[in-house]
Amino acid sequence: MDVLTVLVGSKNPVKINAAKTIFTQYFPNTKIDCQGISAPSLVADQPLGEQATREGAENRVSYLQKHHQADFYCAMEGGAAKFEYGAATFAFVVIADNRRTSVGRSCNLPLPAPVYTRLEQGEELGHVMDDLFNTTNIKQQGGAIGLLTNHLATRESSYTQALLLAMAPFNHPEMYS
């Protein structure tokens, strides 16, 4: 059986599991060796704005490519922003191999205004949610999305969907050249 090596720019098990899930779906007859490696985002621990969030994921993938060998590299960076319709949290995902890079984005999860205010004051979303919901390390579990959707969606499900969509250029490279 062929082995596909996938490196994830984080040790967070939610991110590693999301990557392993999508690569297993796309390559069902291949053994997936999916490993998490600490990779610097070079952005704030809680990125605010779409640009900073995207750059965080891109920086993690660039680090992996410079320091490690793999078939695929991927990263997920959760961020938040205030839009004209209100504050929301989301993630950018980046998947790369040695030929191409694809950037994707998750759905928006509306955030209560007081939560976003705390993010603007420098707190991380996971810590704010732990405080409000009396949880511990929610960012390595269901995340804010799990808490705010009564666990009907999770941080991992959000990453999985974004990663699945970001794989399109790898599935049809002739259309994305």
Side-chain angles (χ1 to χ4, degrees), residues 75-95:
M76 293 137 264
E77 189 74 31
K82 189 177 281 185
F83 300 98
E84 63 184 53
Y85 51 83
T89 185
F90 51 86
F92 270 92
V93 301
V94 175
I95 302 174

Side-chain angles (χ1 to χ4, degrees), residues 46-175:
Q46 178 58 69
L48 295 180
E50 291 180 293
Q51 181 176 338
T53 306
R54 187 190 76 248
E55 287 174 1
E58 290 170 339
N59 291 340
R60 290 177 192 275
V61 165
S62 292
Y63 175 88
L64 292 174
Q65 289 175 308
K66 287 176 187 164
H67 296 94
H68 301 279
Q69 287 290 346
D71 297 303
F72 284 94
Y73 309 88
C74 63
M76 293 137 264
E77 189 74 31
K82 189 177 281 185
F83 300 98
E84 63 184 53
Y85 51 83
T89 185
F90 51 86
F92 270 92
V93 301
V94 175
I95 302 174
D97 63 10
N98 294 315
R99 293 178 301 277
R100 70 187 47 82
T101 298
S102 178
V103 176
R105 189 182 176 289
S106 74
C107 54
N108 277 356
L109 171 68
L111 285 177
V115 170
Y116 191 76
T117 298
R118 288 177 66 177
L119 301 184
E120 290 178 310
Q121 294 168 351
E123 292 186 67
E124 280 188 67
L125 181 58
H127 298 207
V128 174
M129 299 309 287
D130 281 341
D131 180 48
L132 294 173
F133 284 85
N134 197 29
T135 54
T136 303
N137 201 16
I138 197 63
K139 71 181 185 176
Q140 290 195 0
Q141 300 165 45
I145 192 169
L147 294 172
L148 293 172
T149 65
N150 295 335
H151 306 285
L152 296 175
T154 63
R155 189 174 192 205
E156 186 173 329
S157 71
S158 178
Y159 290 154
T160 300
Q161 182 189 41
L163 289 165
L164 284 168
L165 299 178
M167 282 296 289
F170 299 96
N171 299 327
H172 301 281
E174 70 286 353
M175 300 177 102

